[in-house]
């Protein structure tokens, strides 16, 4: 981490404020008892899982060593920090930056740094983050308000699409509550990582203001860009202050209620009450953040109306509005979902932030329902659309992630054809900075005496079941290899259930719907051995159920069929008719002009044959597919989609013509 700027040293030297955290005890009311139930399944926190794999760990290290420092540097250079100082009267000048949510770039990068600190202790980074928190405190008003551009100048509109105004005016576009939401998430992460309350106190002061304002003064106003809901719930989990949980539910309950406010329409999912929504519409990131918050409310309140709504919306997305890469949001205009089956490739949007939000939402759905289909979607998004958003160097980014590039349509933000180091709206780089360190938290989960293995990553952890503590480790080269070896070691010989996810792709179902299917159905099936002996197993909600008396050192070996699969789309997806995509395991492949000079002529036929091999010298090491067939145009090389555009801008396509 680079040395702190002089102004940071100055601020640190003049600040002597000691912030005290106040935890508000949960009221012993009937309502309080009702909301104490949370998700039935518990995930194993990322900082309790040790990674030692060759796929995710290097990416997390690049995030730590390149992405997070670069994001902090941009925040310094572009005035993100200055705005807090100007708002607090320590500097003079107008608002710096072009977006009303520039504050969140600082928050999200701190969140990523906090997560990183839990697994890679770094005193210099820790001190730097503390200095940033001191600057954030300067920008906070006495009553807890914190949106710097409005504190600096209520007559200034930093973005042309949102008029100027005072506090809480034009809330549909002001992003005041979006700023709060990301601050809450970052402060919760920082407190959890470090035990320090300096950032948490700033967040609680702001949250208390929101509770007062939106209960007493403006009870009918609706947040514009969702995320304040999940942020409030994270503060509730730390403090047990039910006011935060209730406000999160209120913000969702009020959305789409035409009896309380003029509706803002589908773009902000404010067209009908959330419990009546059954189709994903509008801005995809806002939507997926909202669906995550709705899932939280369904879990914490055991609310059947919320559960029914998220079930219907999830079905709509997975069966009609999701790309093969797990991306969501097909339209550049409004960064939005399109109509059912509207999934163009060249003009696909698939914002990186939306893919991350899709992971957040699907993980919550799994924790609520225990079904592997949600992890199938999570894995598809994670291994394809999420990590395509960042270059291998960790410092260049895609905002959208199309499934085709013809070198004419300038798809990336800023009208470019390649990844960029930053954007005017730089939500995606900082979202990646905060997301990447948390990936290990999606691997394991538990419920009662059930131990879930959701993702296959070489790793180890200890899991506290109801009656047993279990050490579990994985040895695997997934996603390139098809074998996963696990060692199960309970502290004492005991009976419990190991639930191993059997990926949908390994049983001829690429997604849990009819949106995509395999043209070449495999007869091979996943196999499991326990201590070297083949084992029959029952399936339950996509998991192999292994219920037995386990003892220290028991070995489980899972082998998954991992042939190259030809994917076809539902006939209602117009852009994919007559075309085929390639997958191997969880990885979606693409063609790049760098490998296929005649990319526009490449085709696949029924006679096409495929071979694979791992090229350690290509794109930091990837499994490639080589095709051969009857004609010259059927000979090509395919690479994983997530590494495309790392050799310069060139043509690319996921969907290939059929001869």
């Amino acid at each position: 981490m680079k040395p702190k700027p002089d102004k940071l040293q100055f601020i640190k030297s003049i600040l002597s404020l000691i912030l005290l955290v106040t935890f508000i005890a949960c009221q012993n009311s009937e309502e309080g008892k009702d909301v104490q139930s949370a998700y039935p399944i518990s995930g194993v926190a990322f900082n309790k899982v040790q990674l030692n794999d060759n796929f995710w760990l290097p990416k997390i290290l690049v995030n730590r060593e390149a992405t997070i420092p670069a994001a902090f540097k941009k925040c310094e250079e572009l005035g993100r920090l200055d705005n807090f100082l100007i708002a607090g009267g320590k500097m003079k000048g107008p608002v710096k930056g072009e977006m009303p949510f520039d504050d969140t770039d600082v928050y999200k990068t701190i969140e990523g740094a906090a997560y990183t600190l839990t697994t890679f202790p770094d005193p210099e980074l820790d001190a730097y983050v503390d200095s940033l928190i001191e600057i954030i405190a300067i920008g906070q008003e006495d009553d807890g308000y914190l949106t710097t551009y409005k504190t600096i100048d209520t007559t200034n509109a930093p973005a042309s699409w949102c008029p100027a105004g005072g506090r809480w005016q034009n809330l549909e576009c002001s992003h005041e509550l979006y700023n709060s939401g990301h601050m809450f998430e970052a402060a919760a992460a920082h407190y959890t990582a470090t035990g320090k309350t300096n950032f948490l106190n700033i967040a609680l002061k702001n949250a208390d203001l929101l509770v007062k304002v939106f209960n007493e003064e403006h009870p009918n106003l609706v947040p514009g860009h969702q995320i304040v809901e999940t942020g409030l719930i994270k503060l509730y989990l730390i403090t047990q202050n039910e006011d935060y949980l209730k406000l999160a539910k209120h913000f969702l309950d009020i959305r789409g209620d035409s009896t309380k406010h003029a509706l803002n329409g589908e773009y902000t999912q404010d067209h009908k009450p959330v419990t009546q929504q059954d189709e994903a519409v509008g801005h995809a990131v806002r939507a997926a953040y909202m669906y995550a918050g709705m899932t939280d409310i369904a879990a914490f309140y055991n609310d059947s109306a919320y559960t029914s709504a998220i079930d219907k919306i999830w079905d709509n997305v997975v069966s009609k509005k999701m790309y093969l890469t797990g991306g969501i949001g097909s339209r550049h205009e409004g960064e939005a979902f399109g109509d059912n089956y509207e999934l163009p490739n060249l003009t696909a949007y698939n914002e990186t932030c939306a893919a991350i939000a899709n992971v957040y939402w699907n993980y919550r759905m799994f924790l609520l329902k225990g079904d592997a289909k949600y992890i199938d979607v999570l894995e598809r998004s994670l291994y394809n659309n999420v990590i395509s958003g960042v270059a291998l160097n960790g410092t260049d980014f895609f905002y959208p992630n199309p499934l085709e590039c013809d070198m004419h349509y300038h798809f990336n933000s800023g009208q470019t054809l390649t990844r960029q180091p930053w954007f005017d709206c730089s939500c995606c780089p900082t979202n990646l900075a905060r997301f990447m360190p948390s990936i290990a938290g999606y691997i394991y989960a538990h419920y009662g005496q059930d131990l879930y293995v959701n993702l296959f990553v070489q790793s180890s952890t200890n899991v506290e079941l109801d009656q047993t503590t279990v050490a579990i480790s994985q040895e695997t080269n997934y996603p390139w290899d098809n074998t996963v070896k696990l060692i199960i070691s309970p502290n004492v010989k005991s009976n419990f259930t190991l639930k191993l996810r059997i990926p949908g792709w390994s049983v001829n179902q690429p997604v849990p719907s009819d949106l995509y299917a395999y043209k070449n159905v495999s007869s091979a099936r996943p196999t499991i051995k326990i201590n070297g002996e083949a084992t029959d197993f029952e399936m339950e909600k996509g998991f192999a159920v292994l219920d037995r008396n386990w003892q220290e050192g028991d070995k489980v070996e899972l082998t998954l069929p991992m042939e190259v699969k030809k994917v076809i789309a539902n006939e209602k997806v117009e852009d994919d008719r007559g075309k085929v995509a390639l997958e191997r395991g969880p990885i979606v492949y693409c063609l790049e002009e760098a490998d296929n000079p005649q990319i526009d002529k490449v085709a696949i036929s029924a006679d096409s044959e495929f071979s694979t091999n791992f090229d350690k010298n290509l794109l930091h090491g990837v499994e490639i597919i080589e095709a051969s067939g009857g004609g010259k145009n059927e000979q090509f090389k395919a690479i994983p989609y997530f590494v495309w555009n790392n050799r310069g801008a060139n043509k690319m396509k996921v969907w290939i013509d059929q001869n």
Side-chain angles (χ1 to χ4, degrees):
M1 184 60 58
K2 296 192 179 218
K4 297 186 285 293
D6 290 343
K7 65 188 173 194
L8 299 184
Q9 297 277 21
F10 168 72
I11 295 306
K12 193 165 187 178
S13 67
I14 66 169
L15 282 173
S16 59
L17 179 62
I18 300 175
L19 299 171
L20 299 176
V21 62
T22 302
F23 292 101
I24 303 177
C26 181
Q27 299 293 320
N28 187 24
S29 62
E30 287 304 310
E31 185 172 19
K33 292 177 183 176
D34 290 340
V35 299
Q36 290 311 300
S37 60
Y39 287 96
I41 298 173
S42 300
V44 177
F46 72 92
N47 58 336
K48 303 296 185 183
V49 178
Q50 295 76 47
L51 298 184
N52 60 343
D53 76 315
N54 293 321
F55 190 86
W56 287 113
L57 182 58
K59 292 174 174 55
I60 292 169
L61 290 173
V62 167
N63 184 75
R64 172 181 179 261
E65 295 163 3
T67 306
I68 290 174
F72 277 139
K73 184 178 180 182
K74 287 291 185 182
C75 287
E76 293 177 12
E77 292 175 346
L78 299 175
R80 303 285 196 268
L81 303 179
D82 291 348
N83 283 337
F84 292 97
L85 299 175
I86 297 168
K90 300 299 182 183
M91 288 181 64
K92 295 188 180 297
V95 177
K96 298 185 178 182
E98 302 180 32
M99 297 293 168
F101 43 84
D102 282 346
D103 295 353
T104 65
D105 289 335
V106 180
Y107 302 149
K108 286 188 285 184
T109 312
I110 288 176
E111 184 177 352
Y115 287 150
T116 295
L117 286 170
T118 68
T119 47
F120 302 100
D122 183 337
E124 186 178 358
L125 177 60
D126 190 20
Y128 177 74
V129 168
D130 279 345
S131 71
L132 299 185
I133 293 169
E134 290 172 354
I135 287 179
I136 292 169
I138 288 173
Q140 186 169 37
E141 297 190 35
D142 290 342
D143 65 352
Y145 185 83
L146 186 49
T147 289
T148 60
Y149 82 94
K150 286 207 169 188
T151 297
I152 294 169
D153 183 3
T154 57
T155 67
N156 176 61
S160 60
W161 38 262
C162 192
R167 287 188 184 186
W168 322 124
Q169 291 184 337
N170 310 307
L171 202 60
E172 70 279 1
C173 61
S174 71
H175 284 78
E176 290 158 278
L177 295 178
Y178 175 77
N179 290 342
S180 291
H182 271 301
M183 176 175 59
F184 298 163
E185 298 228 338
H190 182 258
Y191 170 74
T192 302
T194 67
K196 299 177 185 178
T197 60
N198 48 349
F199 199 5
L200 181 64
N201 277 286
I202 297 171
L204 295 178
K205 190 175 181 180
N206 183 254
D208 290 340
L209 175 67
L210 300 191
V211 168
K212 180 177 184 296
V213 167
F214 293 100
N215 279 321
E216 300 174 10
E217 300 171 24
H218 300 295
N220 296 326
L221 291 185
V222 179
H225 193 311
Q226 299 89 323
I227 205 173
V228 68
E229 301 86 354
T230 54
L232 282 164
I233 290 169
K234 288 189 176 181
L235 294 185
Y236 161 71
L237 290 172
I238 291 172
T239 65
Q240 292 298 297
N241 183 344
E242 285 186 29
D243 287 343
Y244 303 153
L245 180 61
K246 291 175 185 175
L247 183 59
K249 186 174 187 296
H250 167 76
F251 280 146
L252 290 166
D253 287 342
I254 198 74
R255 188 175 292 274
D257 186 347
S258 61
T259 67
K260 301 292 178 61
H261 64 275
L263 300 185
N264 294 307
E266 290 188 350
Y267 174 74
T268 58
Q269 297 77 41
D270 186 33
H271 57 298
K272 63 173 72 172
V274 297
T275 54
Q276 296 176 24
Q277 296 185 28
D278 57 9
E279 180 180 356
V281 297
H283 189 275
V285 181
R286 296 173 191 244
Y289 282 159
M290 184 180 85
Y291 305 150
M294 289 173 65
T295 311
D296 281 346
I297 295 303
F300 279 85
Y301 282 87
N302 193 24
D303 191 303
S304 60
Y306 270 84
T307 302
S308 176
I310 56 176
D311 283 345
K312 292 174 183 176
I313 296 167
W314 187 88
D315 285 339
N316 174 253
V317 170
V318 173
S319 63
K320 297 178 177 66
K321 296 192 176 186
M322 186 176 74
Y323 281 87
L324 186 63
T325 55
I328 53 175
S330 59
R331 295 179 180 175
H332 277 247
E333 182 180 0
E335 302 180 332
F337 286 103
D339 294 333
N340 289 336
Y341 302 106
E342 182 186 337
L343 297 167
N345 296 311
L346 182 67
T347 61
Y349 203 66
N350 287 337
E351 185 178 337
T352 299
C353 284
I356 291 172
N358 202 25
V359 170
Y360 290 149
W361 176 30
N362 274 276
Y363 192 60
R364 285 169 164 84
M365 293 293 283
F366 160 73
L367 295 177
L368 182 63
K369 294 172 174 288
D371 198 313
K373 67 183 182 181
Y374 304 113
I375 304 297
D376 283 349
V377 175
L378 181 156
E379 180 183 65
R380 180 166 294 275
S381 186
L382 181 61
Y383 277 87
N384 298 291
N385 196 159
V386 170
I387 53 177
S388 68
V390 59
L392 294 173
N393 63 14
T395 56
D396 293 295
F397 307 92
F398 280 149
Y399 197 115
N401 295 269
L403 276 71
E404 183 176 349
C405 174
D406 65 358
M407 293 301 290
H408 295 293
Y409 181 73
H410 290 67
F411 60 89
N412 201 14
S413 184
Q415 298 299 297
T416 60
L417 287 163
T418 190
R419 293 181 182 86
Q420 297 297 305
W422 199 251
F423 308 106
D424 291 340
C425 168
S426 228
C427 54
C428 295
T430 51
N431 226 355
L432 283 160
R434 78 174 181 130
F435 176 78
M436 292 299 289
S438 69
I439 285 169
Y442 299 106
I443 300 173
Y444 304 101
H446 60 95
Y447 168 67
Q449 284 291 93
D450 294 345
L451 169 54
Y452 290 87
V453 179
N454 293 324
L455 299 178
F456 306 116
V457 182
Q458 187 156 296
S459 59
S460 60
T461 191
N462 290 298
V463 183
E464 299 282 344
L465 303 181
D466 276 359
Q467 301 170 23
T468 315
T469 299
V470 183
I472 181 171
S473 64
Q474 295 188 53
E475 180 184 336
T476 183
N477 197 29
Y478 191 92
W480 311 128
D481 285 356
N482 66 339
T483 301
V484 183
K485 297 179 180 179
L486 303 103
I487 298 178
I488 312 297
S489 294
N491 57 346
V492 294
K493 184 176 180 179
S494 54
N495 181 267
F496 59 90
T497 303
L498 180 67
K499 291 190 172 181
L500 278 180
R501 174 174 150 262
I502 303 298
W505 59 258
S506 72
V507 290
N508 296 308
Q509 189 175 27
V511 296
S513 72
D514 67 353
L515 186 56
Y516 302 105
Y518 290 140
K519 194 176 178 70
N520 54 329
V521 174
S522 173
S523 60
R525 287 291 182 268
T527 62
I528 294 176
K529 293 180 181 178
I530 298 180
N531 296 326
E533 294 186 7
T535 302
D536 293 331
F537 54 89
E538 298 291 327
M539 291 291 295
E540 181 181 299
K541 292 185 176 181
F543 289 92
V545 179
L546 305 176
D547 186 354
R548 68 194 302 270
N549 286 311
W550 298 90
Q551 60 186 359
E552 183 178 358
D554 277 343
K555 296 178 175 61
V556 179
E557 183 173 321
L558 171 66
T559 302
L560 301 166
M562 201 176 265
E563 309 98 326
V564 175
K565 295 290 185 64
K566 293 190 287 187
V567 187
I568 54 174
N570 188 299
E571 279 295 311
K572 294 178 182 177
V573 181
E574 183 177 350
D575 273 38
D576 298 341
R577 289 179 195 152
K579 297 180 180 180
V580 169
L582 298 178
E583 286 187 358
R584 183 178 181 272
I587 303 296
V588 174
Y589 279 74
C590 70
L591 307 184
E592 260 199 307
E593 190 177 19
D595 304 306
N596 307 283
Q598 302 298 314
I599 188 171
D600 293 328
K601 298 179 180 179
V602 169
I604 290 177
S605 74
D607 297 327
S608 295
E609 296 182 354
F610 306 103
S611 61
T612 66
N613 67 281
F614 187 79
D615 188 340
K616 65 179 182 180
N617 298 315
L618 179 66
L619 298 164
H620 292 192
V622 292
E623 192 86 14
I624 62 171
I625 296 174
E626 292 185 302
S628 59
K632 189 175 181 181
N633 67 339
E634 294 174 27
Q635 299 173 12
F636 60 82
K637 177 179 178 179
I639 62 170
Y641 169 78
F642 74 84
V643 291
W644 86 277
N645 201 267
N646 276 279
R647 296 174 290 179
N650 66 149
K651 291 182 179 179
M652 179 276 296
K653 62 174 62 176
V654 168
W655 290 94
I656 307 165
D657 291 333
Q658 293 188 79
N659 267 342

